[in-house]
């Protein structure tokens, strides 16, 4: 249940980022990122004053998938460790592990 909650937080974060960040990304895709005279002082040859950003779908989907996978792992590990504790001792703040059923 906690792992599902973590994954849902990741999905909501991806949706929120897409809604709030899309106008800014679209602006830099159409207008470009202008450096002006400051950029010319760097002395990098072959670069224009304006850089037009592009965001391929593979990059967006791959990054979103990686975020969901990492969030699921990060949500699962503490839950798994808590599940190994004795419930009564965990409520008291003691960290004793539960004995396995077969041993």
């Amino acid at each position: 249940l906690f792992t599902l909650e973590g994954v849902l937080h990741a999905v909501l974060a991806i949706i929120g980022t897409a809604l709030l960040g899309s106008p800014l990304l679209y602006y830099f895709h159409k207008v470009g990122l202008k450096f002006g005279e400051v950029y010319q002082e760097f002395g990098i040859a072959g670069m224009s004053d304006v850089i037009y950003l592009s965001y391929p779908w593979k990059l967006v989907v791959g990054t979103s998938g990686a975020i969901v996978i990492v969030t699921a792992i990060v949500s699962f590990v503490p839950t798994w460790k808590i599940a190994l504790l004795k419930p009564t001792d965990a409520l008291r703040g003691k960290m004793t592990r539960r004995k396995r059923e077969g041993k």
Side-chain angles (χ1 to χ4, degrees), residues 82 84-90 93-99:
I82 290 171
L84 296 176
L85 298 176
K86 291 182 182 178
T88 53
D89 289 343
K94 297 178 183 177
M95 297 297 166
T96 56
R97 290 186 177 238
R98 200 184 313 182
K99 290 184 180 178

Side-chain angles (χ1 to χ4, degrees), residues 34-44 48-49:
K34 298 177 184 176
F35 290 104
E37 293 182 23
V38 176
Y39 182 71
Q40 292 174 355
E41 293 176 5
F42 291 136
I44 300 175
S48 64
D49 292 340

Side-chain angles (χ1 to χ4, degrees), residues 7-58:
V7 170
L8 288 177
H9 278 129
V11 170
L12 287 175
I14 290 169
I15 291 170
T17 303
L19 291 175
L20 296 174
S22 294
L24 184 65
L25 297 178
Y26 180 76
Y27 173 79
F28 284 126
H29 179 71
K30 291 296 179 186
V31 176
L33 189 59
K34 298 177 184 176
F35 290 104
E37 293 182 23
V38 176
Y39 182 71
Q40 292 174 355
E41 293 176 5
F42 291 136
I44 300 175
M47 300 289 284
S48 64
D49 292 340
V50 180
I51 296 177
Y52 296 96
L53 306 177
S54 69
Y55 311 97
W57 284 107
K58 289 181 182 179

